[in-house]
Amino acid sequence: METSESNSYRMRFKKILLIGALVVIAGIAVYTFLVLKYDPSFVNLEERLLPASLEHPLGTDHLGRDVLTRILLGSQLTVGYGFLALLLAVAIGVPFGIFAGFKGGIVDRILMRIADAFLSFPDTIVAIVLSGLLGAGIENLLIAIVIVKWVNYARLVRSTVVVERQKDYITMAKINGLSERRIMVKHLFPHLIGHVLVLASLDLGKIILLISSLSYIGLGAQPPAPEWGAMLNEARPYFQSVPELMVFPGLAIVTVVLFSNLLGDFLRDKFDVKKEVA
Amino acid sequence: MSLVSVNGLSISNKQKDIVKDISFQILKGEWLAIVGQSGSGKSLTSSAIGQLLGPNLRAAGNVSYEGMNLLELPPKKMRALRGTRISYIFQDYQGSFTPFHTIGRHFQEFLKTHLKLSKDVRKKKAEEALKDVGLQPEIYSRYPFQLSGGQLQRVSIALALLLEPDILIADEPTTALDSITSFKVLQLLEKLQQEKGCAILFITHDLRHVKNHADRILVMKEGEIVEQGEKRQVLDNPVHPYTKLLIEASSPLRKPATEKILEVAK
C-alpha cells in the first residue's frame, strides 16, 4: 500500500517535472521568436567579455556576442540535430529489426551479424573516426551518430519480434492470408512502440552529449555556429578570468540531458508491463 | 474421395527427423483425428500442410491438394489458399488474436484480404458468422481479452469457416477449455461441418475428444503412424500396443457420461 502510494507520488513528481520542462521549452521558443534581438554571430569587440546585465542577461563572450542568444539558438543546433539523428536511427533500425526478427533463419543471421559488426566498436570512438574521415561539420557528425546508433534499435526490436513471431496470433494472421508487410506493420509494430520510445528518450541525452563533446573537440559544429559544445571550447581560454562563459553552455547541456533521462524513466514506468498486471 | 493426400512426409530440424516418412489421406468432408502424445509430431504435420513450419524446420515429401504439392507451393499461392481453402484453429485461443485489435478488426482484415466488399457488408458478414457460432453480434466491437476462452474459440471457428474452406485443421482446439465448454465447441464444430461440408483434421492427445465425432482415427507415436482406420475399428480392435495403451488411458469415458455432460450443460 505504502509503496504504491510513494510510487504514485513519484510518478506525479515526474509528471510535474516533465510538464515544467515543456513549459520552459515553450517559453524559450516564444522568447527566441519574439524577444531575441541579437545576431548570434554578431561580433562587437567593444563589448567583449561583459558581465551579466539587463542588456545581456548572461553577458557577452570573447568576441562580444550575446551569450543568451547563442545558447538559445544553440538549442536548435544541439537538440535539433540530436532529434534528427535519433529519428534517422529509429527509422533505419526499427524496420531492420522487424524484418530480421520476422524472417528468422538465415536472413536473420546475416542481418544480425551485420548489426554485430557495427556494435563491436565503442560508440564514441566510431563517431570520432567517422566524423574525422568525413570531415568536420555537423552534418557529417549527424551521419556518424546515425551509423553508431541505429544498431541498438535493430537489436531491441529484433529481440521483441523473435518472441512475438512465435505466438499464434502471428501464425493466425499468416493463415488468414495477410501479407507479410501487413503483419509487420499492423500486428508487430504496435507492440514495439513502447520499447522504442523508452530507448529513444534515454538515447536522446546520450546523443546530445555526443554531439556536444565531438563539437568540443572540434569535430562537430564549426565556429561561429553557436553549438553548445563548440561554445564550451571557445570559452576554454577564458576559463580563469570569466568562468561563466563555460558554465552557461555546460548548464544547458546538463539540463537537456537530465530531462531527456527523466522523460525516458517516465515512459519506461508508463509502459511497464508488470504495472498493468498489478 | 481424397481431398489431401500426404505421401512420404518427413519433417526434420538440423539434428534429426521429427516426423518420419508418413503417408495418409484426408477424404472430402470427413472428420479425421490424429491422436498421439506431446512430441509425437502431430502438430508439426498439421503445420507442414499449410507451410507454417518455423524457419529451422524442413519438410520433405509430397502433400498433394488439387494437383499441387503444398510443400513446394510459392508463398504467394500459399497465401491465397490459406484462410480460403485451408484454415486453422489453435489450442491457444487467447494467443490467436492480436491483443490490440478488436474482434471486428480481425474479421475486417481477413475479409479485406480475400474479397472485394464494402466495409458495411464485411461487418454484416462478420456479425452473421458470429451468430452462426452462437455468439452475440455485440462481440464484434470487443477486444480479445474481454472474452472468455469458449467465446474466443467460437470466434476463431467463425473466422476459420467464414470463407467455407475445404479443410479445417484444428490443432488441439479444446485442450485448453474446460470439459463442458469443449464439449459444446465440439458439437458446434460437428454441426458446422455438416452444414458446410468441409473436412476436419482434428489434432488431439485425448481419445475422448475423438470418440463421438471422428470418422477415422490416425495414431502417431514418435513421428510415425502406428495405426490408422475407421473409428470403430481402431477403438474396438486396436492392433498396436500403443493404441491399446491410449484407449486404456482414457477408459473412464462411456456414453452415459457424455449424456450426463449434456444434462449439466442444459
Side-chain angles (χ1 to χ4, degrees):
Chain A
M1 200 61 204
E2 208 176 292
T3 51
S4 83
E5 247 170 45
S6 74
N7 262 345
S8 79
Y9 173 75
R10 269 175 47 199
M11 275 304 255
R12 208 159 69 206
F13 176 69
K14 279 181 186 163
K15 224 180 224 166
I16 290 168
L17 259 180
L18 280 175
I19 292 169
L22 283 177
V23 169
V24 170
I25 291 168
I28 289 172
V30 169
Y31 181 85
T32 46
F33 280 115
L34 298 181
V35 188
L36 212 58
K37 50 189 174 184
Y38 298 104
D39 181 344
S41 48
F42 174 70
V43 176
N44 184 352
L45 289 177
E46 281 174 17
E47 293 190 356
R48 64 196 296 261
L49 299 175
L50 287 183
S53 64
L54 271 181
E55 191 81 342
H56 300 287
L58 300 182
T60 58
D61 70 1
H62 63 293
L63 295 174
R65 298 174 295 194
D66 183 54
V67 171
L68 181 61
T69 307
R70 286 176 66 76
I71 286 185
L72 292 180
L73 289 177
S75 69
Q76 289 175 6
L77 273 181
T78 311
V79 182
Y81 272 93
F83 261 115
L84 194 60
L86 191 63
L87 220 66
L88 288 173
V90 170
I92 297 171
V94 170
F96 192 94
I98 293 186
F99 190 76
F102 185 73
K103 282 285 179 186
I106 186 82
V107 178
D108 180 32
R109 251 170 280 153
I110 292 172
L111 289 181
M112 276 303 125
R113 286 306 82 78
I114 295 173
D116 284 348
F118 276 92
L119 260 188
S120 51
F121 299 98
D123 286 12
T124 327
I125 310 257
V126 175
I128 289 174
V129 169
L130 280 173
S131 51
L133 280 176
L134 296 168
I138 195 137
E139 288 83 11
N140 291 340
L141 178 57
L142 187 79
I143 295 172
I145 288 176
V146 172
I147 288 175
V148 170
K149 284 289 176 190
W150 71 272
V151 193
N152 296 335
Y153 296 91
R155 288 206 74 89
L156 171 83
V157 165
R158 179 201 168 259
S159 63
T160 315
V161 169
V162 164
V163 174
E164 293 294 325
R165 181 193 70 201
Q166 290 163 359
K167 293 194 180 161
D168 278 347
Y169 71 92
I170 296 297
T171 319
M172 212 62 208
K174 277 188 206 164
I175 287 163
N176 288 346
L178 303 188
S179 68
E180 293 194 334
R181 225 192 78 203
R182 195 177 171 86
I183 295 174
M184 289 188 235
V185 175
K186 299 275 176 177
H187 296 251
L188 281 173
F189 181 63
H191 266 294
L192 310 164
I193 296 174
H195 300 283
V196 171
L197 222 54
V198 172
L199 182 64
S201 51
L202 289 171
D203 243 7
L204 182 63
K206 285 188 206 152
I207 290 178
I208 287 170
L209 270 182
L210 202 56
I211 291 179
S212 289
S213 45
L214 289 184
S215 295
Y216 178 77
I217 59 174
L219 284 171
Q222 296 301 302
E227 203 284 324
W228 294 341
M231 286 173 72
L232 278 175
N233 186 26
E234 286 174 26
R236 201 165 32 98
Y238 307 95
F239 177 58
Q240 298 216 324
S241 52
V242 198
E244 306 98 277
L245 272 186
M246 282 193 94
V247 170
F248 293 126
L251 269 180
I253 295 172
V254 169
T255 315
V256 170
V257 172
L258 179 68
F259 272 109
S260 83
N261 278 332
L262 283 175
L263 180 71
D265 278 354
F266 178 74
L267 290 174
R268 192 188 50 210
D269 291 348
K270 271 259 150 178
F271 287 107
D272 196 351
V273 184
K274 274 176 263 157
K275 230 169 224 161
E276 261 171 50
V277 178
Chain B
M1 212 175 82
S2 150
L3 182 70
V4 175
S5 78
V6 176
N7 286 311
L9 173 70
S10 298
I11 301 170
S12 53
N13 61 13
K14 284 216 180 74
Q15 286 89 37
K16 57 171 186 174
D17 285 358
I18 302 167
V19 172
K20 297 155 197 154
D21 191 26
I22 62 169
S23 302
F24 62 94
Q25 300 201 327
I26 304 168
L27 307 181
K28 211 165 185 170
E30 76 164 342
W31 183 309
L32 174 66
I34 300 186
V35 189
Q37 64 193 35
S38 326
S40 59
K42 54 194 195 310
S43 286
L44 285 182
T45 305
S46 72
S47 301
I49 293 175
Q51 277 189 15
L52 291 172
L53 293 173
N56 296 323
L57 293 166
R58 295 188 51 80
N62 189 308
V63 177
S64 85
Y65 167 79
E66 293 189 345
M68 300 174 279
N69 181 2
L70 292 183
L71 296 181
E72 284 161 11
L73 217 56
K76 216 172 165 184
K77 277 196 173 159
M78 193 70 226
R79 238 175 63 204
L81 281 185
R82 284 183 198 146
T84 56
R85 316 295 296 277
I86 301 172
S87 61
Y88 280 79
I89 49 178
F90 292 117
Q91 170 183 355
D92 178 11
Y93 44 81
Q94 195 67 258
S96 297
F97 295 89
T98 306
F100 40 80
H101 288 180
T102 59
I103 298 299
R105 191 153 166 204
H106 284 88
F107 275 96
Q108 287 284 353
E109 219 175 22
F110 178 44
L111 285 171
K112 207 164 110 189
T113 315
H114 296 290
L115 302 175
K116 284 195 168 60
L117 296 172
S118 75
K119 205 176 168 195
D120 291 338
V121 178
R122 291 201 296 258
K123 186 174 179 195
K124 203 166 267 167
K125 232 175 138 64
E127 284 175 345
E128 269 167 32
L130 287 173
K131 239 182 269 168
D132 278 350
V133 294
L135 292 171
Q136 307 285 324
E138 288 87 68
I139 293 224
Y140 183 85
S141 50
R142 297 276 166 79
Y143 282 93
F145 61 84
Q146 294 174 306
L147 305 181
S148 71
Q151 283 173 319
L152 280 174
Q153 204 54 286
R154 279 163 194 265
V155 174
S156 41
I157 292 172
L159 261 173
L161 297 179
L162 195 57
L163 299 179
E164 315 211 334
D166 292 334
I167 177 164
L168 171 68
I169 296 174
D171 191 352
E172 308 214 14
T174 53
T175 306
L177 298 172
D178 63 78
S179 55
I180 292 173
T181 315
S182 73
F183 179 76
K184 284 183 183 165
V185 165
L186 284 171
Q187 285 220 315
L188 172 73
L189 262 183
E190 182 161 340
K191 188 185 124 219
L192 291 173
Q193 185 199 22
Q194 273 157 13
E195 279 171 23
K196 313 215 170 184
C198 66
I200 294 184
L201 180 64
F202 193 88
I203 317 280
T204 183
H205 59 251
D206 196 339
L207 271 180
R208 285 174 288 185
H209 289 149
V210 172
K211 217 165 174 183
N212 294 309
H213 303 286
D215 299 314
R216 289 193 308 133
I217 297 178
L218 201 154
V219 182
M220 276 183 83
K221 182 177 187 278
E222 287 162 16
E224 288 171 55
I225 296 176
V226 294
E227 183 152 2
Q228 61 176 315
E230 296 296 320
K231 172 175 71 178
R232 286 263 66 91
Q233 179 207 324
V234 174
L235 290 182
D236 297 342
N237 301 305
V239 181
H240 196 276
Y242 182 70
T243 316
K244 284 179 190 157
L245 192 71
L246 269 181
I247 292 170
E248 240 164 66
S250 58
S251 61
L253 212 94
R254 293 173 301 271
K255 208 160 171 68
T258 56
E259 275 161 10
K260 227 176 240 169
I261 291 178
L262 246 185
E263 261 168 46
V264 176
K266 271 174 194 164

